[in-house]
């Protein structure tokens, strides 16, 4: 039995799974967040183990990182600014320590970063204090103690609209399973 066997996601539902809301929406968007509404599946459990390995899961560094990443997930409208040109932005991490939001053309990264900061992204929650920002600050980086988010736009874009549509279709298919 898994060490996370009793874990359950807290899903923002107004209706039971498979039912429709008053405006006709179903819970598809919520179901995309988790493979199972009841428990972690083995792949999610393995990911969680990696995210909590180093530093130890209760360390200040992990709390700061998790707070920043959790808040970014709740700012999808701002993150979507980065993907407006083609319908997506690349996101990835460096060894479970941060998040990178990256795109090839469109919005200026300083504009996206300023919108994130103005949204209260790095305002500490009650009872949490973050270490001050480092002396050296990279212009593409948002800091919350040891938590980091990189907001960057790559060089000029060479993607044609037909290539962009193929990529969008591939993304839709991959995430609609």
């Amino acid at each position: 039995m898994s060490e996370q066997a009793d874990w359950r996601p807290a899903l923002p539902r107004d209706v039971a799974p498979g039912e429709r809301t008053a405006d006709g929406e179903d819970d598809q968007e919520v179901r995309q967040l988790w493979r199972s509404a009841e428990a972690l599946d083995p792949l999610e459990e393995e990911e969680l183990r990696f995210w909590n390995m180093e530093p130890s899961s209760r360390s200040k560094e992990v709390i700061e990182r998790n707070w920043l990443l959790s808040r970014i997930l709740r700012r999808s409208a701002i993150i979507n600014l980065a993907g407006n040109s083609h319908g997506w932005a690349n996101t990835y991490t460096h060894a479970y320590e941060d998040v990178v939001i990256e795109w090839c053309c469109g919005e200026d990264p300083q504009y996206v970063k300023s919108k994130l900061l103005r949204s209260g992204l790095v305002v500490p929650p009650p009872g949490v204090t973050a270490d001050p920002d480092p002396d050296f600050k990279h212009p593409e980086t948002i800091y919350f103690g040891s938590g980091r988010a990189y907001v960057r736009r790559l060089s000029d874009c060479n993607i044609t609209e037909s290539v962009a549509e193929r990529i969008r279709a591939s993304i839709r298919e991959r995430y609609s399973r």
Side-chain angles (χ1 to χ4, degrees):
M1 173 118 353
S2 129
E3 64 190 51
Q4 300 288 329
D6 293 332
W7 182 88
R8 299 284 185 273
L11 300 176
R13 292 211 169 141
D14 293 327
V15 297
E19 293 182 7
R20 296 197 173 272
T21 63
D23 61 357
E25 296 294 319
D26 67 14
D27 65 343
Q28 176 66 34
E29 187 172 323
V30 170
R31 284 184 284 129
Q32 291 176 9
L33 296 174
W34 306 99
R35 291 189 177 99
S36 165
E38 302 305 318
L40 292 171
D41 74 16
L43 290 173
E44 291 167 328
E45 197 171 292
E46 183 178 347
E47 269 304 293
L48 183 62
R49 204 171 16 259
F50 277 114
W51 278 95
N52 286 329
M53 275 177 24
E54 293 295 331
S56 73
S57 63
R58 296 209 184 277
S59 73
K60 187 173 183 348
E61 290 83 10
V62 168
I63 291 168
E64 292 167 350
R65 179 204 63 202
N66 289 353
W67 179 255
L68 179 63
L69 299 183
S70 173
R71 284 187 146 193
I72 284 176
L73 286 173
R74 289 181 263 144
R75 284 157 173 79
S76 58
I78 298 172
I79 301 305
N80 285 343
L81 291 172
N84 275 347
S85 294
H86 299 304
W88 77 88
N90 298 316
T91 55
Y92 57 92
T93 110
H94 298 108
Y96 304 97
E97 294 177 359
D98 56 22
V99 66
V100 179
I101 304 159
E102 178 179 87
W103 60 100
C104 61
C105 58
E107 286 295 347
D108 181 297
Q110 290 305 310
Y111 176 72
V112 175
K113 178 181 173 182
S114 72
K115 295 280 281 184
L116 286 166
L117 292 172
R118 281 198 316 263
S119 77
L121 182 71
V122 296
V123 174
V128 173
T129 57
D131 291 331
D133 290 347
D135 291 334
F136 170 77
K137 293 174 89 170
H138 193 278
E140 297 175 338
T141 307
I142 295 172
Y143 300 89
F144 181 74
S146 62
R148 304 279 185 274
Y150 302 93
V151 180
R152 62 179 158 214
R153 181 180 62 195
L154 302 175
S155 62
D156 292 335
C157 175
N158 295 320
I159 296 178
T160 65
E161 186 52 37
S162 64
V163 170
E165 182 48 44
R166 277 198 325 264
I167 294 169
R168 285 191 295 269
S170 166
I171 291 169
R172 281 191 298 272
E173 200 219 295
R174 184 175 35 185
Y175 291 102
S176 66
R177 294 182 195 146

